[in-house]
Amino acid sequence: MSGSTTETPVAIFNSHTEYIQALSEALASEGVTTVAALLADIQDGTLDLVAFLEAHNPRVIVYDLPRPYERHWNFLRLLKQTHGLRRRAWILTTTDKKALDAAVGASGVIEIIFGEPYGVSEVVEAVRQALSDGRPRTTEE
């Protein structure tokens, strides 16, 4: 990734604008273009996700799973089964991996910690890996 900008952006779907900004800046320093949306806008239909995907065509999606975990996990499972999202690499994040694992049996989720530098280094590495080999770093359902 170093030195070259990706042809398609990485999408960041998160509930916290501060984290979106921090991760976008970290990925930009790696030459990766990003697009972002708030999870609430996706879930309540404020954002036309189909149009968003058609406009930006991200290969990788960094998707956060906030509380309540069961509701957000079920919504994610629905998203991942839709035609436009099925072939994309997914990198899942959460702020409490232990609680998420207990609630839904998730695995392969990156725990992010708010505060400087927002725990972005592991996510940046996962994006680098997904862009280089095309494989998602997520749970398989």
Side-chain angles (χ1 to χ4, degrees):
M1 274 187 351
S2 59
S4 64
T5 301
T6 58
E7 292 177 16
T8 61
V10 169
I12 303 168
F13 298 149
N14 198 290
S15 299
H16 301 280
T17 55
E18 302 87 8
Y19 186 78
I20 290 171
Q21 182 178 354
L23 184 55
S24 293
E25 290 172 4
L27 289 169
S29 73
E30 295 282 329
V32 177
T33 303
T34 60
V35 292
L38 292 172
L39 286 175
D41 292 344
I42 296 168
Q43 293 171 340
D44 70 13
T46 302
L47 173 73
D48 182 340
L49 186 58
V50 172
F52 180 92
L53 294 170
E54 287 174 357
H56 302 293
N57 193 28
R59 270 183 43 207
V60 177
I61 297 171
V62 178
Y63 188 94
D64 190 59
L65 289 156
R67 292 179 189 267
Y69 294 124
E70 294 87 352
R71 180 170 64 97
H72 289 281
W73 182 256
N74 289 335
F75 186 77
L76 169 68
R77 290 180 62 200
L78 177 66
L79 284 179
K80 289 176 76 172
Q81 293 306 311
T82 61
H83 176 72
L85 295 172
R86 203 173 296 139
R87 294 182 310 267
R88 299 175 199 275
W90 290 79
I91 297 168
L92 304 180
T93 64
T94 190
T95 57
D96 189 346
K97 185 174 174 6
K98 186 175 180 181
L100 175 67
D101 289 350
V104 298
S107 64
V109 178
I110 299 171
E111 188 169 57
I112 55 174
I113 299 155
F114 288 103
E116 293 302 324
Y118 297 102
V120 299
S121 60
E122 192 174 350
V123 177
V124 170
E125 181 56 36
V127 168
R128 181 183 295 124
Q129 179 183 346
L131 289 173
S132 67
D133 66 19
R135 289 181 298 169
R137 184 182 189 279
T138 65
T139 58
E140 292 300 318
E141 287 142 38

